[in-house]
Amino acid sequence: MTTFHRLDLFCRVVDNYGDIGICWRLARQLRREHGLAVTLWVDDLASFRRICPEVDTGAASQRLDGVTVRHWAGQDGAYTPADVADIVIEFFAVDIPPGYIEAMAQCEPRPVWFNLEGLTAEEWVEGCHRLTSPHPRLPLTKHFFFPGFTDKTGGLLREAELDVERRSFQSSPTEMAQFLARFGVAPAEMAATKVSLFCYPHAPVSALLDVWRAGEQAVTCLVPEGVAAEAVQAFLGTDATAGASATQGALTLRVLPFVPQPDYDKLLWACDLNFVRGEDSFVRAQWAGKPFVWHIYPQDENLHHKKLRAFLQRYAAGLDALDEFSLRWNGAPTAGEGSGWASLWQAFARQMPAMAARAEAWQTQMLANGDLAANLMGFAATLR
């Protein structure tokens, strides 16, 4: 039986928290559940520190939660075969240092080399998952590994105990209330529709806040510091710093500090509706078992709209209000283009019970595909 001991994961931060969020989760899971000595190479330690406060942004190398974290400061450097891990993962087609690749070619046996791609619901990934890419000059072969939503992909990132932990937390109203109380959420706010809001700056947040403020249903909106800063500041009438809050009409808005990943999971579990963005929080929202709205990372020529529609076709069948709201939230053209945000939200709110039922059924469907880390390690074992 093939045994792997070391794994190196290379991450460049493009979407401030999504890239490092995914890589940090994966690194910890590979260490904890698969017993690997994991080194995470990351170029932006400041973004990393927002989701992991223990990060020392000035350290070239540090040990965090059993994972070695190296500051990936550049492409230069000399490497030997002893520096190379048994499994090498480049996240989202980053270029790993040329010297490291040269050292990989000198290893015997040579390392298993993966390009871990971004998540998409588009059908073409099933044909590209596990495809090979021979190096043009060296005796090395890279394999593409795609996360995804079917059994013909690598599945979604999920720790072994995640579902048990979630269900335990959500079955205890007291525990959920105590968690939210840490951020100043009062009992009356707990009884409202609780919404977590994480999006990119171009989301139509001001319009939605206006609808909630003027609505009949009480809403408690929890926003991480720095998210939708202009809209949040305009609502608060003061700086949108952690701890700031205001109530206007039916809406209470609170600014939360950025929290470590385990606490962000609990935030998603405790809310009735989650607005998420990018890839990492998008996946965690699916494991939360609650209704959610995805703000997808924008791409040139609106290619992200195609990816969004591909996901909605899989997830939102029969949930026309979720489909319409999600497309409009992302600036995509829809059949109901003339609808205002008030009517969009009213239709969405009416359909939330059906969305909650869909969220639970979707989880069962995704669990059947296995988890990304285990699927990746199983495939790696076939390559040696």
Side-chain angles (χ1 to χ4, degrees):
M1 180 179 175
T2 301
T3 302
F4 297 105
H5 301 285
R6 295 169 53 201
L7 181 145
D8 280 5
L9 172 56
F10 289 83
C11 172
R12 284 201 186 280
V13 177
V14 178
D15 176 9
N16 300 42
Y17 313 111
D19 305 305
I20 185 56
I22 294 162
C23 290
W24 181 227
R25 290 189 196 278
L26 179 60
R28 286 178 296 166
Q29 186 180 358
L30 289 167
R31 183 195 67 79
R32 291 173 180 172
E33 298 180 18
H34 298 276
L36 294 169
V38 178
T39 298
L40 172 60
W41 297 74
V42 58
D43 64 333
D44 182 355
L45 293 175
S47 290
F48 189 5
R49 192 172 189 272
R50 296 293 298 277
I51 62 170
C52 180
E54 296 80 17
V55 169
D56 179 354
T57 57
S61 179
Q62 55 194 300
R63 188 96 167 154
L64 298 169
D65 207 357
V67 174
T68 299
V69 175
R70 296 280 301 272
H71 182 208
W72 185 7
Q75 294 295 82
D76 296 333
Y79 300 87
T80 70
D83 299 317
V84 175
D86 305 314
I87 301 176
V88 178
I89 301 176
E90 55 186 45
F91 180 69
F92 212 34
V94 300
D95 293 322
I96 60 181
Y100 190 99
I101 297 175
E102 295 283 350
M104 288 168 62
Q106 299 169 29
C107 293
E108 189 58 49
R110 295 187 179 90
V112 174
W113 185 9
F114 288 119
N115 173 18
L116 178 58
E117 280 285 357
L119 175 63
T120 179
E122 295 167 292
E123 291 185 4
W124 62 263
V125 301
E126 295 184 348
C128 296
H129 180 55
R130 298 189 173 191
L131 283 186
T132 59
S133 175
H135 193 279
R137 181 173 53 85
L138 300 171
L140 293 168
T141 299
K142 178 164 49 180
H143 290 79
F144 291 92
F145 201 86
F146 281 84
F149 304 101
T150 73
D151 59 4
K152 296 183 177 64
T153 68
L156 299 178
L157 195 60
R158 172 183 53 82
E159 300 84 356
E161 299 300 319
L162 183 66
D163 194 52
V164 172
E165 293 172 358
R166 173 184 72 89
R167 291 184 184 278
S168 174
F169 181 84
Q170 290 180 334
S171 66
S172 173
T174 300
E175 190 174 353
M176 287 195 290
Q178 288 174 343
F179 173 77
L180 291 176
R182 290 167 42 188
F183 307 108
V185 178
E189 295 164 33
M190 278 290 298
T193 298
K194 298 176 293 299
V195 181
S196 75
L197 179 61
F198 190 38
C199 60
Y200 295 109
H202 58 284
V205 173
S206 293
L208 191 56
L209 295 183
D210 287 342
V211 169
W212 286 341
R213 172 170 39 198
E216 297 180 0
Q217 174 65 44
V219 174
T220 299
C221 182
L222 307 173
V223 189
E225 185 177 25
V227 172
E230 285 190 17
V232 171
Q233 186 165 320
F235 178 87
L236 294 173
T238 186
D239 291 342
T241 55
S245 67
T247 299
Q248 296 183 31
L251 173 61
T252 296
L253 186 148
R254 290 189 174 275
V255 181
L256 274 55
F258 260 75
V259 295
Q261 286 182 327
D263 281 347
Y264 183 67
D265 282 328
K266 289 182 178 179
L267 178 64
L268 297 177
W269 300 346
C271 286
D272 303 300
L273 170 64
N274 296 301
F275 286 77
V276 292
R277 79 181 203 190
E279 182 174 329
D280 181 56
S281 60
F282 170 48
V283 172
R284 304 314 279 195
Q286 292 172 61
W287 294 131
K290 296 292 187 76
F292 67 90
V293 177
W294 181 29
H295 202 205
I296 189 170
Y297 187 77
Q299 292 180 291
D300 292 338
E301 300 179 357
N302 287 328
L303 289 177
H304 57 299
H305 289 166
K306 182 179 179 182
K307 292 183 177 182
L308 173 64
R309 291 180 189 276
F311 174 73
L312 291 172
Q313 285 172 5
R314 292 186 185 274
Y315 186 85
L319 298 172
D320 55 319
L322 173 60
D323 187 84
E324 178 76 12
F325 192 100
S326 299
L327 291 168
R328 290 284 295 279
W329 186 249
N330 284 275
T334 70
E337 200 69 42
S339 301
W341 281 103
S343 60
L344 284 171
W345 170 249
Q346 289 165 5
F348 186 97
R350 285 194 299 269
Q351 208 169 68
M352 276 182 59
M355 294 178 202
R358 175 57 176 150
E360 287 288 344
W362 179 258
Q363 280 197 341
T364 301
Q365 190 178 332
M366 294 302 101
L367 286 167
N369 298 329
D371 76 89
L372 180 74
N375 290 338
L376 185 142
M377 291 303 297
F379 181 46
T382 70
L383 302 176
R384 275 262 180 105

